[in-house]
Amino acid sequence: MSESGGYNFRAIEAKWREYWEANETFRTPDPAPGDQTFYVLDMFPYPSGAGLHVGHPVGYLATDIVARYKRMKGFNVLHPMGWDSFGLPAEQHAIRTGEHPSKTTARNIATYKRQMKLLGLGYDWSREFATSSPEYYKWTQYIFVRLYNAWFDPEQNRARPIEDLPIPDDVRAEGKLAVQAFQDRHRLVYFEEAPVNWCPELGTILANEEVYDGKSEQGYDVVRVSIPQVKMRITAYAERLLQGLDDLDWPEGIKESQRNWIGRSEGVSIRFEIEGTGETVETFTTRVDTLGGVTFLALAPEHPLVDAVTTDEHRAEVEAYRDKAARKSEIDRTATLDKTGVFAGTHAVNPVTGDKVRVFVADYVLPDYGTGAVMGVPAHDERDFDFARKYELPIVPVIDPGEAAADRDAVLAGEACWTEEGVMLAPPEGAGDLYAAGDPWPTAREQVSDRLEANGIGERVISYNLRDWIFARQRYWGEPIPVIHWEDGARTTMDVDDLPLTLPELDSYKPTGHAESPLARAEDWVEVVDPETGMKGRRETSTMPQWAGSCWYQLRFMDPRNGDQIVDPDKEKAWRAVDLYVGGAEHATLHLLYARFWYQAMYDLGIVSTPEPFRKLVNQGLLSSFAYKNQRGIVLPVDEVKEVAEGEFVHEPTGDKVERIGAKMSKSLRNVVTPDHVVETYGADAFRVHMMFMGPIEGGRVWETDKVASALRFLRRVWGFVTRVLDQPAESQAKSVDLALTKLVLAVTEDLENLRLNTAIAELMKFLNAVEHEPVTKAAARDFIRVLSPFAPHMAEELWARAGEAPSVTQADWPHADEADLEAAIEEIEVVLQEGGKKRASLTVAPNIDDESIRAMAKERLEQMGKDVSGLPMERVIVVRDKKTGHVKLVNAPKLG
């Protein structure tokens, strides 16, 4: 790429990158009293070995532009960057190679950081940290300890220290283990057995997404086993997490995803007696009006009462079925169309009809969904209908769909399922006068609920789909959980003064072959002795999930080098919650929900002063690229393909015609383009301008490298224009230039405030088109440079210096303009003239013309056009004005002869 025309982007960009680093241009001072603060943050990146491709910086560029603008507007701007550096890929590399994960992580971070600096991203690198640094995860462990030693008080609807939990006298009399067990039922962090996917061959636990048809990615068998797990009681915050969404400036789709994930339901908890066992099984339903149609009960294979409700005659079959279910992932169990189960040999009693219904063990019922048991209403639930048809169970309709169902007769005959609204059929035999035929189903629901509560076999409850967070991972590369299990059965957290608990060095990072992490091999680290009592104990060998460090990192950026506090309270109150948070929509129900939970708990415990971490959230759109495949379906390297005609592509080494396909950038498709390549060819500023001009930040993008050339051409024109003005500035400039500059400042300011970066760049282009060949003053050029600087910062710095200004332009004030300036510059405007609602002509008028004058002009023009205006009442000529400026937008006369 030629660098003619005096614009040597390589030299300019290298010069100013070096200047920014040497002078710590973007270092953020701690807020002083009275400061306007603005906290803008990117979602924490995980530094993979592949480095950045051109799609990754979409959000980074947007936040950088906003941060630069806000600094120039006088805000103290916090715009930091760090690394979400605990993660499974680094551990897998360690297992394969024996190299410590910290070494590969450090290399990956260095690559990401170099690329970010290459793009001119103005982060405050003095605040940088990685979640895998002991100096950082000391405070992650500190938060864990605070949450472990807290309980949720439902009466006060907040977390409180565990020492405030009232302990019943009879529990206290049983001793400290009874007290511990009682506290565990209330703690925000607790230990409980939970089913996991265990692969004996790999010797490790797999996530649901890593299990396919009961096997690992490598084809090894995976079984479900229950092991002690650390859980966090996020369910205690379900209602607050729901309500808090209302006040957040987040995309509605993200908020709806969280609402659906939390899944608030108002319904009834019902207890079914299991005949001959003395046991009762609890279920939950939102449609208790269909209780008369229950014809079976289904328990998850993991339900704790399966053994108790299974007869000896059916025990072997049930055990075999449970073993088979343990080899399926939750996804397999719920997604399959073929619903399976086995009869347990016992019957439950329908509490409103007295009918006996068969009890099944069925794997489409999950242990952690609802109560782990469902009442089967096959006439009005698709899954139950399929199950009942397969096992020839009764199908008893209780809802009449009416004329809304084309197959109403089939529904009433129990041959089809109806899941929509309707009216009640007559109550089933044995149910008495529970409700009347023809009653709306909500009326019946309330009557059935009243009866269940009156008889003590059910109560109205609010249920949530949200489940407590399984927090432990049987991995090495994660934050050690600072808990000690003592030989007398007691369990304690470490003293916060003894944190961090650092990871021990290991000879092997391979799985242990049983359900413990590789940390179990470090016996000297695991085994502890209480120096005061001599009691022996073992450290918890599970580590925290990757989400832990990213739940609170936004807080640490406020005070990253504080060794004595997680954050200075004054700094936290000054910065408050993040003002603008940009990242991917894929984190809606994991990172974003977990971070909100931690923040609300920390707010309760007095660690932070705001209950929500992120005020405004923006999701950047995905970037896709093109890939090419030949007639045999083989994917070819992008740089070996040439476009020979519009829409026709050829593989240059072979001459074969190839097909272009749209695809996400990936190594497997051989279509990854790195920012390094683009910056070398076109420059960082051209990359920034092109990427932001492609469309709204939230929209998708299709990458074509050669299209960056147009952004470079624009910047060359900018360079030529500004350098000409600086070398030969005009003494004065036309009002049209004043008007164009005022419009530019006002439009770009509004666009930046609303994150419309593509239209802001369009305004820069419009300005250049309007004034490029006009006499322009040096003062106007300086204003233009300042408006340009967030988008093309390297060029702007160089031009600012050539204008004789002290570096850096980032420390200059944003140009001032207001509507009054625009009004003063506008001499004439064009107004649409309508007759009977149809455009007939246009009028050129002064912007402040009064209604009487413009009506007269309209009448005169219509008369010139041959219209009969002799009987036209002037009050019927309607003048429409712009609400913001007061300018006339159009004039409409009634239809004339």
Side-chain angles (χ1 to χ4, degrees), residues 137-171:
Y137 70 69
K138 164 185 178 177
W139 298 106
T140 308
Q141 293 172 335
Y142 165 84
I143 297 171
F144 177 92
V145 170
R146 292 291 304 272
L147 297 184
Y148 180 87
N149 290 303
W151 66 292
F152 191 84
D153 184 343
E155 293 185 2
Q156 296 189 15
N157 196 29
R158 67 181 182 93
R160 298 173 58 190
I162 195 67
E163 54 265 26
D164 293 348
L165 176 65
I167 308 296
D169 291 340
D170 58 334
V171 172

Short mmCIF file of all heavy atoms in Angstrom, two decimals, residues 137-171:
data_model
loop_
_atom_site.label_atom_id
_atom_site.label_comp_id
_atom_site.label_asym_id
_atom_site.label_seq_id
_atom_site.Cartn_x
_atom_site.Cartn_y
_atom_site.Cartn_z
N TYR A 137 -6.63 -12.77 43.25
CA TYR A 137 -7.57 -13.78 43.74
C TYR A 137 -7.58 -13.88 45.26
O TYR A 137 -8.45 -14.53 45.84
CB TYR A 137 -7.41 -15.12 43.04
CG TYR A 137 -6.21 -15.98 43.28
CD1 TYR A 137 -5.98 -16.61 44.50
CD2 TYR A 137 -5.31 -16.25 42.24
CE1 TYR A 137 -4.91 -17.47 44.69
CE2 TYR A 137 -4.24 -17.11 42.42
CZ TYR A 137 -4.04 -17.71 43.65
OH TYR A 137 -2.97 -18.56 43.84
N LYS A 138 -6.63 -13.20 45.92
CA LYS A 138 -6.76 -13.03 47.37
C LYS A 138 -8.12 -12.43 47.70
O LYS A 138 -8.79 -12.87 48.65
CB LYS A 138 -5.65 -12.11 47.88
CG LYS A 138 -5.88 -11.55 49.29
CD LYS A 138 -4.81 -10.54 49.67
CE LYS A 138 -5.08 -9.95 51.06
NZ LYS A 138 -4.01 -9.02 51.48
N TRP A 139 -8.55 -11.46 46.90
CA TRP A 139 -9.80 -10.77 47.19
C TRP A 139 -11.00 -11.53 46.66
O TRP A 139 -12.11 -11.39 47.20
CB TRP A 139 -9.74 -9.35 46.65
CG TRP A 139 -8.63 -8.58 47.31
CD1 TRP A 139 -7.43 -8.21 46.78
CD2 TRP A 139 -8.61 -8.14 48.68
NE1 TRP A 139 -6.67 -7.57 47.71
CE2 TRP A 139 -7.38 -7.51 48.90
CE3 TRP A 139 -9.51 -8.22 49.73
CZ2 TRP A 139 -7.02 -6.95 50.12
CZ3 TRP A 139 -9.17 -7.68 50.96
CH2 TRP A 139 -7.93 -7.05 51.14
N THR A 140 -10.83 -12.36 45.65
CA THR A 140 -11.90 -13.28 45.26
C THR A 140 -12.17 -14.25 46.41
O THR A 140 -13.32 -14.55 46.74
CB THR A 140 -11.52 -14.04 43.99
OG1 THR A 140 -11.11 -13.12 42.97
CG2 THR A 140 -12.70 -14.85 43.46
N GLN A 141 -11.09 -14.76 47.00
CA GLN A 141 -11.23 -15.65 48.16
C GLN A 141 -11.84 -14.91 49.34
O GLN A 141 -12.66 -15.47 50.08
CB GLN A 141 -9.87 -16.23 48.53
CG GLN A 141 -9.30 -17.19 47.49
CD GLN A 141 -7.87 -17.60 47.78
OE1 GLN A 141 -7.12 -16.88 48.45
NE2 GLN A 141 -7.47 -18.75 47.26
N TYR A 142 -11.47 -13.65 49.51
CA TYR A 142 -12.05 -12.85 50.59
C TYR A 142 -13.56 -12.74 50.44
O TYR A 142 -14.31 -12.92 51.41
CB TYR A 142 -11.41 -11.45 50.56
CG TYR A 142 -12.14 -10.40 51.37
CD1 TYR A 142 -11.91 -10.28 52.74
CD2 TYR A 142 -13.04 -9.53 50.76
CE1 TYR A 142 -12.58 -9.30 53.48
CE2 TYR A 142 -13.70 -8.56 51.50
CZ TYR A 142 -13.47 -8.46 52.86
OH TYR A 142 -14.13 -7.51 53.60
N ILE A 143 -14.04 -12.48 49.20
CA ILE A 143 -15.49 -12.40 48.97
C ILE A 143 -16.13 -13.74 49.27
O ILE A 143 -17.20 -13.81 49.89
CB ILE A 143 -15.79 -11.95 47.53
CG1 ILE A 143 -15.25 -10.55 47.28
CG2 ILE A 143 -17.29 -12.00 47.25
CD1 ILE A 143 -15.31 -10.12 45.83
N PHE A 144 -15.48 -14.84 48.84
CA PHE A 144 -16.01 -16.17 49.12
C PHE A 144 -16.18 -16.36 50.63
O PHE A 144 -17.23 -16.86 51.10
CB PHE A 144 -15.08 -17.24 48.55
CG PHE A 144 -15.50 -18.65 48.87
CD1 PHE A 144 -16.31 -19.35 48.00
CD2 PHE A 144 -15.11 -19.27 50.05
CE1 PHE A 144 -16.71 -20.65 48.29
CE2 PHE A 144 -15.50 -20.56 50.36
CZ PHE A 144 -16.30 -21.25 49.47
N VAL A 145 -15.17 -15.99 51.40
CA VAL A 145 -15.23 -16.15 52.86
C VAL A 145 -16.38 -15.32 53.43
O VAL A 145 -17.14 -15.80 54.30
CB VAL A 145 -13.89 -15.77 53.50
CG1 VAL A 145 -14.01 -15.69 55.02
CG2 VAL A 145 -12.82 -16.78 53.13
N ARG A 146 -16.53 -14.10 52.95
CA ARG A 146 -17.63 -13.26 53.45
C ARG A 146 -18.99 -13.86 53.10
O ARG A 146 -19.92 -13.83 53.93
CB ARG A 146 -17.51 -11.84 52.86
CG ARG A 146 -16.31 -11.04 53.33
CD ARG A 146 -16.42 -10.65 54.80
NE ARG A 146 -17.63 -9.90 55.10
CZ ARG A 146 -17.74 -8.56 55.00
NH1 ARG A 146 -16.69 -7.85 54.60
NH2 ARG A 146 -18.86 -7.96 55.33
N LEU A 147 -19.13 -14.42 51.90
CA LEU A 147 -20.40 -15.02 51.52
C LEU A 147 -20.65 -16.31 52.30
O LEU A 147 -21.78 -16.60 52.70
CB LEU A 147 -20.43 -15.29 50.02
CG LEU A 147 -20.34 -14.09 49.09
CD1 LEU A 147 -20.48 -14.53 47.63
CD2 LEU A 147 -21.40 -13.05 49.41
N TYR A 148 -19.59 -17.10 52.50
CA TYR A 148 -19.75 -18.35 53.26
C TYR A 148 -20.22 -18.05 54.68
O TYR A 148 -21.06 -18.77 55.23
CB TYR A 148 -18.42 -19.10 53.28
CG TYR A 148 -18.48 -20.41 54.06
CD1 TYR A 148 -18.88 -21.59 53.44
CD2 TYR A 148 -18.17 -20.46 55.41
CE1 TYR A 148 -18.96 -22.78 54.14
CE2 TYR A 148 -18.25 -21.64 56.13
CZ TYR A 148 -18.64 -22.80 55.49
OH TYR A 148 -18.72 -23.98 56.19
N ASN A 149 -19.69 -17.00 55.23
CA ASN A 149 -20.03 -16.65 56.62
C ASN A 149 -21.19 -15.65 56.68
O ASN A 149 -21.20 -14.74 57.52
CB ASN A 149 -18.79 -16.11 57.33
CG ASN A 149 -17.76 -17.20 57.56
OD1 ASN A 149 -18.04 -18.22 58.18
ND2 ASN A 149 -16.57 -17.02 57.01
N ALA A 150 -22.14 -15.85 55.76
CA ALA A 150 -23.35 -15.01 55.74
C ALA A 150 -24.55 -15.90 55.46
O ALA A 150 -24.43 -17.00 54.92
CB ALA A 150 -23.22 -13.92 54.67
N TRP A 151 -25.72 -15.42 55.84
CA TRP A 151 -26.96 -16.13 55.56
C TRP A 151 -27.98 -15.13 55.03
O TRP A 151 -27.84 -13.92 55.22
CB TRP A 151 -27.51 -16.83 56.81
CG TRP A 151 -27.95 -15.87 57.91
CD1 TRP A 151 -27.16 -15.06 58.67
CD2 TRP A 151 -29.29 -15.63 58.35
NE1 TRP A 151 -27.90 -14.33 59.55
CE2 TRP A 151 -29.21 -14.65 59.39
CE3 TRP A 151 -30.53 -16.13 58.00
CZ2 TRP A 151 -30.33 -14.17 60.05
CZ3 TRP A 151 -31.66 -15.65 58.66
CH2 TRP A 151 -31.55 -14.69 59.69
N PHE A 152 -28.99 -15.64 54.34
CA PHE A 152 -30.02 -14.76 53.77
C PHE A 152 -31.22 -14.75 54.70
O PHE A 152 -31.83 -15.79 54.95
CB PHE A 152 -30.42 -15.21 52.38
CG PHE A 152 -31.28 -14.20 51.67
CD1 PHE A 152 -30.70 -13.14 50.98
CD2 PHE A 152 -32.67 -14.28 51.71
CE1 PHE A 152 -31.48 -12.20 50.34
CE2 PHE A 152 -33.46 -13.34 51.07
CZ PHE A 152 -32.86 -12.30 50.39
N ASP A 153 -31.54 -13.57 55.19
CA ASP A 153 -32.67 -13.39 56.08
C ASP A 153 -33.90 -13.06 55.24
O ASP A 153 -34.01 -11.95 54.70
CB ASP A 153 -32.38 -12.25 57.06
CG ASP A 153 -33.48 -12.06 58.10
OD1 ASP A 153 -34.59 -12.58 57.88
OD2 ASP A 153 -33.22 -11.41 59.14
N PRO A 154 -34.85 -13.99 55.08
CA PRO A 154 -36.01 -13.73 54.23
C PRO A 154 -36.91 -12.62 54.77
O PRO A 154 -37.61 -11.96 54.00
CB PRO A 154 -36.73 -15.08 54.18
CG PRO A 154 -36.26 -15.81 55.39
CD PRO A 154 -34.88 -15.34 55.66
N GLU A 155 -36.92 -12.43 56.07
CA GLU A 155 -37.77 -11.39 56.65
C GLU A 155 -37.24 -10.00 56.29
O GLU A 155 -38.01 -9.09 56.00
CB GLU A 155 -37.86 -11.56 58.16
CG GLU A 155 -38.61 -12.82 58.59
CD GLU A 155 -38.80 -12.90 60.08
OE1 GLU A 155 -38.38 -11.95 60.79
OE2 GLU A 155 -39.38 -13.90 60.56
N GLN A 156 -35.91 -9.84 56.34
CA GLN A 156 -35.32 -8.56 55.98
C GLN A 156 -34.94 -8.49 54.50
O GLN A 156 -34.53 -7.45 54.01
CB GLN A 156 -34.08 -8.28 56.84
CG GLN A 156 -34.39 -8.14 58.32
CD GLN A 156 -33.17 -7.66 59.12
OE1 GLN A 156 -32.20 -7.17 58.57
NE2 GLN A 156 -33.25 -7.83 60.44
N ASN A 157 -35.05 -9.64 53.80
CA ASN A 157 -34.76 -9.73 52.37
C ASN A 157 -33.33 -9.27 52.06
O ASN A 157 -33.08 -8.56 51.11
CB ASN A 157 -35.76 -8.91 51.56
CG ASN A 157 -35.74 -9.26 50.07
OD1 ASN A 157 -35.43 -10.39 49.71
ND2 ASN A 157 -36.05 -8.30 49.23
N ARG A 158 -32.39 -9.72 52.88
CA ARG A 158 -30.99 -9.37 52.66
C ARG A 158 -30.08 -10.36 53.38
O ARG A 158 -30.53 -11.13 54.24
CB ARG A 158 -30.71 -7.95 53.16
CG ARG A 158 -30.80 -7.78 54.68
CD ARG A 158 -30.53 -6.35 55.08
NE ARG A 158 -30.56 -6.18 56.54
CZ ARG A 158 -29.47 -6.25 57.32
NH1 ARG A 158 -28.28 -6.50 56.78
NH2 ARG A 158 -29.58 -6.08 58.63
N ALA A 159 -28.81 -10.32 52.99
CA ALA A 159 -27.81 -11.17 53.65
C ALA A 159 -27.35 -10.51 54.95
O ALA A 159 -27.27 -9.29 55.05
CB ALA A 159 -26.62 -11.38 52.72
N ARG A 160 -27.05 -11.38 55.90
CA ARG A 160 -26.54 -10.91 57.19
C ARG A 160 -25.41 -11.83 57.63
O ARG A 160 -25.33 -12.98 57.18
CB ARG A 160 -27.67 -10.92 58.23
CG ARG A 160 -28.83 -10.00 57.92
CD ARG A 160 -29.98 -10.19 58.90
NE ARG A 160 -29.57 -9.95 60.28
CZ ARG A 160 -30.32 -10.22 61.35
NH1 ARG A 160 -31.51 -10.79 61.17
NH2 ARG A 160 -29.88 -9.97 62.56
N PRO A 161 -24.53 -11.38 58.52
CA PRO A 161 -23.46 -12.25 59.03
C PRO A 161 -24.04 -13.50 59.68
O PRO A 161 -25.09 -13.45 60.33
CB PRO A 161 -22.73 -11.36 60.04
CG PRO A 161 -23.03 -9.96 59.60
CD PRO A 161 -24.42 -10.00 59.04
N ILE A 162 -23.34 -14.63 59.53
CA ILE A 162 -23.85 -15.90 60.04
C ILE A 162 -24.02 -15.89 61.55
O ILE A 162 -24.89 -16.58 62.09
CB ILE A 162 -22.92 -17.07 59.61
CG1 ILE A 162 -23.62 -18.42 59.80
CG2 ILE A 162 -21.61 -17.01 60.35
CD1 ILE A 162 -24.79 -18.65 58.89
N GLU A 163 -23.23 -15.06 62.25
CA GLU A 163 -23.37 -15.02 63.70
C GLU A 163 -24.70 -14.40 64.13
O GLU A 163 -25.12 -14.54 65.29
CB GLU A 163 -22.21 -14.25 64.36
CG GLU A 163 -21.99 -12.86 63.82
CD GLU A 163 -20.92 -12.82 62.73
OE1 GLU A 163 -20.72 -13.84 62.06
OE2 GLU A 163 -20.30 -11.75 62.57
N ASP A 164 -25.40 -13.72 63.18
CA ASP A 164 -26.71 -13.16 63.50
C ASP A 164 -27.83 -14.17 63.32
O ASP A 164 -29.00 -13.86 63.64
CB ASP A 164 -26.99 -11.95 62.60
CG ASP A 164 -26.07 -10.77 62.89
OD1 ASP A 164 -25.38 -10.81 63.92
OD2 ASP A 164 -26.04 -9.83 62.08
N LEU A 165 -27.54 -15.36 62.79
CA LEU A 165 -28.58 -16.37 62.57
C LEU A 165 -29.03 -16.95 63.90
O LEU A 165 -28.22 -17.53 64.63
CB LEU A 165 -28.04 -17.48 61.68
CG LEU A 165 -28.99 -18.67 61.43
CD1 LEU A 165 -30.22 -18.23 60.64
CD2 LEU A 165 -28.27 -19.80 60.71
N PRO A 166 -30.30 -16.83 64.25
CA PRO A 166 -30.78 -17.41 65.52
C PRO A 166 -30.69 -18.94 65.47
O PRO A 166 -31.19 -19.57 64.52
CB PRO A 166 -32.23 -16.94 65.61
CG PRO A 166 -32.33 -15.79 64.63
CD PRO A 166 -31.37 -16.09 63.55
N ILE A 167 -30.08 -19.53 66.47
CA ILE A 167 -29.95 -20.98 66.56
C ILE A 167 -30.95 -21.50 67.60
O ILE A 167 -30.90 -21.08 68.76
CB ILE A 167 -28.52 -21.41 66.96
CG1 ILE A 167 -27.47 -20.76 66.05
CG2 ILE A 167 -28.40 -22.93 66.96
CD1 ILE A 167 -27.55 -21.19 64.61
N PRO A 168 -31.86 -22.39 67.24
CA PRO A 168 -32.81 -22.92 68.23
C PRO A 168 -32.06 -23.61 69.39
O PRO A 168 -30.99 -24.21 69.19
CB PRO A 168 -33.62 -23.94 67.42
CG PRO A 168 -33.49 -23.48 66.00
CD PRO A 168 -32.12 -22.91 65.89
N ASP A 169 -32.64 -23.53 70.55
CA ASP A 169 -31.99 -24.09 71.73
C ASP A 169 -31.76 -25.59 71.60
O ASP A 169 -30.71 -26.10 72.02
CB ASP A 169 -32.84 -23.80 72.98
CG ASP A 169 -32.85 -22.32 73.35
OD1 ASP A 169 -31.94 -21.60 72.89
OD2 ASP A 169 -33.78 -21.90 74.06
N ASP A 170 -32.73 -26.33 71.02
CA ASP A 170 -32.56 -27.77 70.92
C ASP A 170 -31.44 -28.12 69.95
O ASP A 170 -30.73 -29.12 70.15
CB ASP A 170 -33.87 -28.44 70.49
CG ASP A 170 -34.38 -27.91 69.16
OD1 ASP A 170 -34.06 -26.77 68.79
OD2 ASP A 170 -35.12 -28.66 68.48
N VAL A 171 -31.24 -27.30 68.93
CA VAL A 171 -30.12 -27.53 68.00
C VAL A 171 -28.80 -27.25 68.71
O VAL A 171 -27.84 -28.03 68.62
CB VAL A 171 -30.26 -26.66 66.75
CG1 VAL A 171 -29.00 -26.75 65.87
CG2 VAL A 171 -31.49 -27.06 65.95
#
